[in-house]
Amino acid sequence: MNMVYFHLLCFGLLFSLSSAGDLKCATGLDGKEAVIPEAWINDGYCDCPFDGQDEPNTEACSGSTSWPGLKTDGVMDGAAASPALPGFQCSKQTKLILPVSRINDGICDCCDGEDESEGLCPDICDELFRAEREARQKITKNFKLGYNKRKHDLYNFKKLRQEKLQEAAEKETEIVSINKEESEAEASIDELRDAYAKERKAVASSVAKSLADLVDPLSEDELKQLIVHSCQLAGEMSDHDADTCVALRLSALDSTTGSVWSDDTYADDEEMKFSTDDQQIAEMLLQNSLGTDSLKWNLDEEFRRRLDEYMGDYDYDGEFDDDQFGGPYDDDEHGEDGYYEPPPPSRKNKVYVSRDVSEKEQEVIDELKGSKFSESRVNFLTRSKILEEKINNALDAAEEAAKEKEEGEADEENEEGDEAEVEGDAEAEVAEGEEVPTIDTEAYNSIKDTLEAVDQKILKGFRWGASAKLFFSKSSATTVDDLKSLAIGTLLLGNLGATHVWEVLQSILPEYEGAKASSDTCAALPISCPPSTITRGKGISFPPSFIIAAVEALCVEQAAAKVDESTCAEEGASDEIPESVSDGLYGYFNPSPREESDPLMSFFSPLLSFKADKDTYDKHMTTKRNLDTKKKRIERQITDLYKDIGGKDGDGMGPSGELYSMANECFSVLAGKYTYETCIFGEAKQKEGSGAGGTGLGKWTGMEIDEDGARVMKWEKGQKCWNGPQRSATVYVTCGQETKLISADEPETCSYVFEMESYIACDEAYKAKMGLLDEDLKAAEDAE
């Protein structure tokens, strides 16, 4: 009996037995359970599309499981499962079980045609099995070769990785040794620094004690005024582009206050920011002494970093400025004996401040302008502006006259009228009724430049003095002893001499109220002559004798110059534009830096000549720099070693380093008119023709292994598509003997998908997925 008819007989008996009752099955597209009346059985209409129970003897349900919209899992959501019927199993294809509906449906499902009527289907089993065997043999062979190659490469990478890690470990041991040597060099530098700072403060204290007669008789308020006006004088003499009193700030490093203060001194709602960190102060004292850079009252980034690394973290909070200026400690400004030699004044000696005057700063400057010391400075500023305006008018008139004359010469007929008009304009600009003068424009411009330069010097002096007033108003770290130390330090570092001290004292001490300069010296000195002493405290004569002696000597010198009273009258009353700007014009005298012969130098010399051991410092710094250079070179070598093996943990080269063999290699495939190229750890590109360049599809972002064990490589953030997203590329890797791209597709706009064969995917997971058996591999090996 034909096997098909035997099965049909069995199914017919089965349904005839169940025909006594109604059939229940999942019906329609929604799978809801329904009762199928007996009359509907084998009526040629498929009521049970999921399993064909109602049409066992017809072909009505043939292919029903493929109907559009029908779920083929046997049951829709919420529907009860229908009783499963036994299927038809092809005898030569044990894994192929057909539903009843596919028996005698005219389609040959079994390779020998046993699911259809006899003679309908040819027997193609041998041909089919041969093709399957060949395909499986190819898969097995590719896997075997790829697996062995992968195993070989992974072994080599593992060996290489061990070597690189060992080499890196040895170099890291070198780094540890270098760090130790570097720390020792740093410790030596720090020891030198701390010792110098300690000894310097002791010398500064000794200098302060030697000048006790100069500061002890002064009250707290008088000490502050001495410092403020000393800052004014220092600012007028200094070429530093600073907004605050450099002399006071440097003095604070040496003084008992031991403080560093911020340049941000005029914030209305903020307190000045101070640092009293001994290490920071010692570092600046050392650097200023060595002359390795320009003056420091704040640390630059190099020394901040050095302190952070070797002395522990210190919060500078970013408030201290990094302005650095040349000054008393610069090597090129020292004489052979180590004393400061002031630089020669520049022709214009202009000052360019670094920021605009703030509202708060202007308030303090205006207050300072009201002091007795500032009277001559305010007078000069006021009258110089008038003189500058007069010069500008004269220059404008001369320029206009020259222009009109030139136009008149071009038009001879109107020459007379034009000259008259020019003369009228010039008279209006200069003075009514006067003739247009012939002036030396170069001389006038020189006078104006000089006036402007002096204006700037005076204004800078006001800013420096104002910064000192702000320091006192906001700082709580200034006792009377602190003020004495700061006063002496400001005189020293501001380059002030004995006559400068006398000029300040006669303006701030009440005993000198009303003192006036002698008519014989009014055009040559900013002081009153002859000097006189006062009595303070317990019969103490003040100022000290060395101040009085210095002033007397200057008064005698100026008296010998025989400056007569008429000079004073001319300087004070003349409205004419002078031929030059003489010192003492409008009562202001340009201060000059302290000279070597000044009596204060004998007091200051111990501190000015006190220097750090530069040779020892340079030796330690050279050692440190060499070690640092060596360390950086080794660190780069370590970085390169780790880079070669995908990082210290090796993750950069994929699982077990399987990407190492193809690192930085590029693979391409031709699809249509485009060539697609993917570079491991590089870029993916789309090229047209053989030219260079191309469209960027993205940069390498890594490789993942999905749930099925498949390797997925990705390139992202490529060139943006027109009116679309950025391009991207994805490569799915399958097992193969060699690494190559085998297909390219663009399933979505600007999203490119490639298939790659590579032996890196020939692993145990692929073996299990393909159902490869050890005997299959052995048979393939034997066949070779």
Side-chain angles (χ1 to χ4, degrees), residues 9 87 249 338 361 421 462 627 752 762:
L9 176 61
R249 296 179 74 170
E361 184 180 11
E421 184 178 350
F462 277 125
L627 289 169
Y752 301 84
C762 299

Side-chain angles (χ1 to χ4, degrees), residues 90 105 220 252 458 512 562 589 599 609 690 707 712 748:
C90 298
D105 62 354
E220 179 179 346
I458 293 174
Y512 293 121
K562 297 181 180 180
F589 298 84
S609 59
S690 58
E707 297 176 353
V712 182
E748 297 180 13

Side-chain angles (χ1 to χ4, degrees), residues 227-228 231 245 248 261 463-473:
I227 294 171
V228 168
C231 279
C245 184
L248 176 58
W261 47 292
R463 297 189 78 166
W464 281 35
S467 72
K469 288 182 73 69
L470 260 294
F471 174 74
F472 297 134
S473 68

Side-chain angles (χ1 to χ4, degrees), residues 214-216 218-233 373 468 472 483-484 486-488 490-491 496-497 500-509 542:
L214 179 61
V215 292
D216 282 352
L218 299 177
S219 67
E220 179 179 346
D221 183 63
E222 289 167 346
L223 285 168
K224 290 181 179 179
Q225 290 186 67
L226 173 61
I227 294 171
V228 168
H229 297 316
S230 295
C231 279
Q232 274 188 266
L233 285 166
F373 179 83
F472 297 134
L483 291 172
K484 292 176 182 178
L486 289 171
I488 293 170
T490 303
L491 295 176
L496 274 67
H500 297 127
V501 175
W502 172 247
E503 181 182 356
V504 175
L505 291 178
Q506 71 177 5
S507 70
I508 66 174
L509 299 182
F542 188 78

Side-chain angles (χ1 to χ4, degrees), residues 190 193-194 197 276-285 299 306-308 310-314 316:
D190 295 337
R193 177 202 66 201
D194 294 341
T276 56
D277 182 81
D278 291 339
Q279 294 166 357
Q280 183 190 11
I281 293 169
E283 186 70 52
M284 287 184 284
L285 287 172
L299 290 182
R306 192 164 77 79
L307 286 181
D308 286 344
Y310 297 98
M311 307 298 294
D313 291 335
Y314 177 78
Y316 304 103

Side-chain angles (χ1 to χ4, degrees), residues 700-720:
W700 171 269
T701 59
M703 183 181 76
E704 302 173 353
I705 298 180
D706 63 17
E707 297 176 353
D708 297 329
R711 286 154 179 76
V712 182
M713 300 176 177
K714 293 186 177 181
W715 288 259
E716 296 178 349
K717 295 184 179 178
Q719 289 181 234
K720 193 176 185 301

